[in-house]
Amino acid sequence: MNRLPVWTQITIALIIALAAPGASAVAYGGAAIAKQYREELSSVEMEKLKASRRLMDMILDAAASSAHKLAVDADFGTLGRFGRYSRISGNYANGLAAKSFAQELSGLVRSERMVTSAFFMLTGADYVISSDKGVVPLENYPSLDWLRSVPKGRGVSGSWVAREHKTITVRDSLSGISSGATVSMLSYVFPLNILVTSTSGVIVLNVRERDLSEVINGGGAAGAYGAMIVDSSGKMLSHPDPANFLTPARNLPYVDAVFDDKASSGSLFITAGDTELLCVFDKDSSTGRVLLFVKPVSALAERGGVVAQGMALAAVLAASASAFVCALLFIRYLEPLRKLRGAAASQNVSDRNDFSFALKAYQSAIAGEGAMRERLGAREKSAMLAVASGLLIGDKPSPQDEPLLRSYFPHPYFQVAVMYIDGYNAYRDATNKELRANHRRLAASAVKEAFKGYHKPFYVGLLGGRSAVIINLPSTRQDQIPDDLWDTVISKLADTHGASVTIGVSRVVSGDDGIYSAARQATEAVDFRVKNGGGKAYKWHKSAANRMFYYPDAEESKILGFLENGDMDSIADELEKLRHNLRESSGVSAANIHIIYVQLLSAALRGLPEGTRARRLGLYRHLAECETLEELDAAMREFFADAVRERKGETRETETALQKALRYIGERFTKDVDFYKMAEDIGVSYSNLRRIVRESTGKSLLDHLNMRRVRQAKSLLAGTNEPLPEVAVKSGFHNTQSLSRFFNKYEGLTPGEYRTRMSGKAN
């Protein structure tokens, strides 16, 4: 060693001191970076996958919510009468109603960017109403046989179905024509039931699988790798390669590995042939669907170990230089490590620090978390609304619903209040569906406001003027909700609805399964208004409605005898006696009271001559709509008065059918007028009435209705300063667009121009 120059000895010493630990450190550092890159890559891809999951759920939930909203808002009562296509194609008004619903479907498709088409099919009908073909017979529409295999939903819910949609029509298929395309579809099937409407049918929304695949893949994936959806049975619902739609997904090695993994989400590195794949997955426990993302691992991660070995060898060879050179070489060896970290993050991002890139990706995911939480909260509330609606009609919650149910209802005891709008038919005629929907929202807010400081209520808006409130209570005490609270709710609802409201309150019950019996109790309590009047809150009690009241045959015979003799005063005395006896009798149910009046009506009708006007009136329906004892008594008095006049050869109406129709329109033009009901009330068929009006005046019934509305609008425009929306509503138009269109049609100028002209004349 003494023969060697000092700098050589120092260099050798430095080489020995630096080479071995330096080479080891470089090799270890390269391997650690490669491992950390894999972990960070898995974390970033998992965040992307979860964002895709939330986006997919948001899109599918939005489509489902649109179907639910359409089911609640649409007038299925009218469509329910058109069981055959001939009733639509052969009748202008029926065809107009069906086409109007087809336009609603088209509007739904335009509002939901993922929904490509939608259709409605009435149970047992021979036609389809669709957004793409309008109203067509079943034979001119693609086959709907696949609907038979769709499982029925529970409560107010539908289900997603994956299918191959063949565009060829049934008629062409039966004719042997093989033209037409096959499209991969995800269809949301929403069956109508009694919770929504009395009409039986199904609403279907179609989403192309290709569109959904582009969304969850960010619009760029294709081929063998990318984001995929697999259902619980192992079928492929979405894949970047369209050929894999509905194929057995477990034939792919990474799908089989994901199903064998017990974790609900995670990542796997799987070798398939010569390619190593990164597979991240997320399983949905409620639907059984699995969303996974597969991509080849970047070659940069594999090169980490090779680069580390090369750097260690270079460190040993460079040790023959001076200490200064060794130091420079050591610094130089660190440079490739920095380059590896930068290149491993993303070739498309300017930030070359992989940790910084991972942090930015995480921050980007957090940035949208607030908006996503709101959407998820709305989805959770919608799911809870379906569960609560099911509890009210006796459905048992599924095990998957239990955590959600307990988050809303932590206590074991419940009380149910059912709220009815008094005089609902008049309320419905005076409002439109948009206003009624707004009233339901205001009712929910009023209930929430009234319960401040008490137990949190859960409001369920039902149909037909009904809504329910479920209150979760910590004990069985019956006085946990004070009586004056219900009076406050009634007062607020009367202000918002413009109509009085009756509330029935159940007793406190135990357990989720007691909610159904509580709902029945509350409904029975509402019937107390028949004897005691509406606009009040009634508490159910066991002694209510436990005995039957029988109207004596002798009393009934007396009334019929008075009718035979035309003695209306004696009939009125007997009806007053009946009303008094019913009011004084305790424990008589509302149903019992209605039955007594229906039986009396039936007996009276049997004694009238065939073909009289009294027999043609919708008397039974009118009695069924009466909500109080006073209304029933008044309806019977009116019937007997008409019957007595007819027996005496008198008539209360001497107008012609034309005069009656114009008077009918003049009395009801501010509301929605049903021409079929108008013809029925006048006593002629709709087709005959339409012919009479057209031949006598040269204008249609609709023209007369809109001309009367325009005349009212002219009066308001000239005599008041009310804004156009108020003028439109008070004149019978739904909105200012309808007002402007018909005003210009009949007057030749806009409402604003008319108001300006009249204002100039006044000045």
Side-chain angles (χ1 to χ4, degrees):
M1 292 291 294
N2 292 335
R3 297 179 181 179
L4 295 175
V6 175
W7 65 267
T8 303
Q9 295 182 33
I10 295 174
T11 300
I12 293 173
L14 288 173
I15 290 173
I16 295 173
L18 298 176
S24 300
V26 170
Y28 176 80
I33 290 174
K35 178 181 178 182
Q36 190 168 13
Y37 167 75
R38 286 171 171 257
E39 294 174 354
E40 292 294 333
L41 184 62
S42 299
S43 176
V44 170
E45 296 301 335
M46 177 57 75
E47 289 297 328
K48 291 180 181 178
L49 184 74
K50 289 185 176 180
S52 295
R53 160 78 72 184
R54 291 192 288 268
L55 180 60
M56 178 186 70
D57 288 345
M58 181 179 67
I59 291 171
L60 298 182
D61 288 346
S65 296
S66 294
H68 295 188
K69 185 177 184 301
L70 178 63
V72 171
D73 292 344
D75 184 10
F76 290 104
T78 300
L79 294 176
R81 301 198 303 262
F82 313 148
R84 312 301 297 173
Y85 182 71
S86 58
R87 293 201 62 189
I88 295 177
S89 61
N91 186 291
Y92 174 78
N94 295 353
L96 191 62
K99 289 179 180 178
S100 175
F101 187 75
Q103 291 174 354
E104 289 191 50
L105 291 174
S106 299
L108 186 151
V109 171
R110 289 192 298 270
S111 64
E112 296 295 336
R113 67 184 183 92
M114 291 296 294
V115 177
T116 59
S117 64
F119 67 86
F120 166 74
M121 179 178 171
L122 188 69
T123 300
D126 63 346
Y127 66 92
V128 173
I129 302 176
S130 67
S131 63
D132 51 347
K133 294 182 180 292
V135 185
V136 295
L138 285 175
E139 62 182 6
N140 292 340
Y141 200 77
S143 174
L144 300 180
D145 290 343
W146 60 273
L147 281 173
R148 299 173 183 170
S149 61
V150 177
K152 292 184 177 180
R154 179 176 56 81
V156 184
S157 64
S159 57
W160 286 98
V161 178
R163 63 187 182 91
E164 292 284 0
H165 173 65
K166 297 181 179 179
T167 59
I168 184 172
T169 66
V170 174
R171 174 182 292 177
D172 290 346
S173 178
L174 293 175
S175 301
I177 299 175
S178 59
S179 62
T182 299
V183 182
S184 300
M185 285 284 188
L186 292 175
S187 297
Y188 184 74
V189 181
F190 183 76
L192 304 179
N193 57 36
I194 195 171
L195 289 177
V196 179
T197 175
S198 59
T199 302
S200 176
V202 63
I203 297 174
V204 177
L205 275 61
N206 295 316
V207 175
R208 277 195 294 261
E209 182 272 336
R210 283 295 83 204
D211 295 341
L212 183 61
S213 178
E214 288 182 5
V215 168
I216 63 177
N217 280 288
Y225 307 118
M228 311 168 191
I229 307 173
V230 182
D231 70 7
S232 58
S233 65
K235 285 186 179 180
M236 187 68 73
L237 301 184
S238 180
H239 191 279
D241 185 358
N244 288 323
F245 183 66
L246 293 182
T247 59
R250 298 194 69 158
N251 292 341
L252 302 174
Y254 46 85
V255 175
D256 208 33
V258 168
F259 270 85
D260 292 339
D261 197 309
K262 302 301 181 182
S264 60
S265 63
S267 61
L268 299 171
F269 285 91
I270 302 170
T271 301
D274 297 332
T275 305
E276 185 174 14
L277 304 174
L278 168 63
C279 177
V280 292
F281 61 91
D282 186 22
K283 302 175 182 178
D284 190 336
S285 60
S286 61
T287 63
R289 290 195 293 263
V290 180
L291 179 63
L292 61 153
F293 181 83
V294 181
K295 68 179 292 185
V297 177
S298 172
L300 289 173
E302 301 303 318
R303 285 165 50 192
V306 176
V307 172
Q309 295 175 5
M311 288 188 295
L313 178 61
V316 173
L317 296 176
S320 58
S322 63
F324 178 75
V325 174
C326 289
L328 292 178
L329 290 175
F330 184 73
I331 295 173
R332 183 181 178 185
Y333 290 152
L334 291 180
E335 185 66 22
L337 293 179
R338 290 193 292 271
K339 290 182 179 180
L340 178 62
R341 287 195 298 270
S346 174
Q347 292 86 348
N348 300 322
V349 179
S350 60
D351 190 341
R352 300 173 66 185
N353 186 308
D354 56 340
F355 301 108
S356 175
F357 169 73
L359 177 61
K360 289 182 178 179
Y362 177 75
Q363 290 173 339
S364 176
I366 291 298
E369 189 69 18
M372 193 63 68
R373 284 181 183 273
E374 291 183 5
R375 297 188 184 97
L376 294 176
R379 178 190 177 195
E380 179 184 274
K381 186 172 182 180
S382 177
M384 182 58 197
L385 187 62
V387 175
S389 299
L391 290 173
L392 289 170
I393 63 172
D395 286 350
K396 292 186 177 297
S398 66
Q400 292 85 354
D401 295 331
E402 282 296 333
L404 178 63
L405 196 59
R406 296 284 73 82
S407 67
Y408 277 84
F409 298 152
H411 303 303
Y413 304 105
F414 297 90
Q415 194 170 28
V416 174
V418 173
M419 301 181 290
Y420 275 72
I421 298 175
D422 298 327
Y424 176 70
N425 290 317
Y427 164 79
R428 182 190 57 198
D429 293 340
T431 58
N432 54 42
K433 61 183 180 181
E434 292 82 4
L435 183 58
R436 291 194 291 274
N438 186 51
H439 284 173
R440 287 193 291 271
R441 289 190 289 270
L442 292 175
S445 299
V447 170
K448 183 177 179 181
E449 179 68 23
F451 270 80
K452 276 188 176 179
Y454 295 95
H455 306 285
K456 183 179 179 182
F458 189 84
Y459 176 86
V460 181
L462 305 174
L463 300 178
R466 297 179 300 131
S467 55
V469 178
I470 303 175
I471 308 132
N472 190 216
L473 300 171
S475 72
T476 58
R477 282 180 35 241
Q478 301 294 332
D479 60 348
Q480 297 177 71
I481 306 299
D483 294 343
D484 58 357
L485 184 144
W486 297 117
D487 295 335
T488 301
V489 172
I490 290 174
S491 176
K492 289 186 177 181
L493 296 185
D495 291 340
T496 58
H497 290 54
S500 63
V501 175
T502 299
I503 299 179
V505 184
S506 75
R507 294 184 64 80
V508 177
V509 297
S510 175
D512 300 337
D513 52 354
I515 293 177
Y516 173 62
S517 62
R520 289 177 61 89
Q521 291 177 7
T523 302
E524 291 175 6
V526 171
D527 287 339
F528 295 171
R529 67 179 173 176
V530 173
K531 289 180 60 178
N532 304 314
K536 303 175 184 178
Y538 296 102
K539 288 188 175 181
W540 184 87
H541 48 89
K542 289 184 178 180
S543 61
N546 59 358
R547 63 179 290 266
M548 290 292 293
F549 181 95
Y550 296 95
Y551 189 52
D553 292 339
E555 300 296 326
E556 181 180 293
S557 299
K558 287 171 61 178
I559 290 183
L560 297 181
F562 294 142
L563 175 61
E564 183 71 23
N565 297 326
D567 186 355
M568 186 59 206
D569 291 337
S570 298
I571 293 175
D573 291 340
E574 291 298 321
L575 289 175
E576 177 61 29
K577 186 188 302 180
L578 172 60
R579 185 171 69 90
H580 175 76
N581 291 339
L582 287 172
R583 185 174 297 284
E584 295 301 318
S585 298
S586 61
V588 180
S589 68
N592 188 183
I593 294 174
H594 275 88
I595 289 173
I596 290 170
Y597 279 98
V598 168
Q599 289 175 342
L600 180 58
L601 173 64
S602 299
L605 285 175
R606 286 194 298 269
L608 294 177
E610 186 69 30
T612 62
R613 182 171 61 86
R615 186 179 295 277
R616 296 198 302 271
L617 297 176
L619 297 171
Y620 291 106
R621 184 180 66 183
H622 185 39
L623 287 182
E625 292 174 351
C626 292
E627 297 172 351
T628 65
L629 195 55
E630 284 70 20
E631 292 179 7
L632 287 166
D633 179 72
M636 291 302 295
R637 287 173 185 265
E638 181 181 1
F639 159 68
F640 278 113
D642 284 344
V644 167
R645 275 192 292 268
E646 288 190 18
R647 281 195 171 275
K648 293 180 178 180
E650 301 174 359
T651 177
R652 193 174 51 178
E653 299 173 352
T654 60
E655 305 109 315
T656 64
L658 174 62
Q659 291 171 329
K660 291 178 182 179
L662 296 180
R663 183 169 59 84
Y664 189 100
I665 289 174
E667 293 172 351
R668 297 171 174 82
F669 69 90
T670 58
K671 307 173 184 176
D672 290 336
V673 176
D674 186 337
F675 292 133
Y676 285 95
K677 186 177 184 303
M678 180 177 74
E680 179 184 347
D681 291 346
I682 291 174
V684 297
S685 67
Y686 169 69
S687 59
N688 193 28
L689 178 62
R690 182 177 58 181
R691 178 186 58 79
I692 291 171
V693 173
R694 172 67 75 176
E695 291 178 355
S696 301
T697 67
K699 293 182 172 56
S700 67
L701 284 168
L702 188 59
D703 282 332
H704 282 285
L705 174 61
N706 287 323
M707 287 168 63
R708 181 63 185 86
R709 288 172 172 171
V710 167
R711 193 158 73 249
Q712 175 68 9
K714 289 172 63 178
S715 175
L716 294 173
L717 290 169
T720 70
N721 292 322
E722 293 184 353
L724 287 183
E726 291 291 333
V727 172
V729 172
K730 290 184 177 180
S731 301
F733 294 106
H734 289 167
N735 48 54
T736 54
Q737 289 80 7
S738 296
L739 169 63
S740 298
R741 184 169 71 254
F742 288 109
F743 201 97
N744 190 57
K745 176 181 178 181
Y746 296 117
E747 298 297 326
L749 68 167
T750 67
E753 291 170 345
Y754 178 81
R755 172 171 275 173
T756 301
R757 177 180 298 179
M758 298 306 294
S759 176
K761 289 183 178 181
N763 294 331

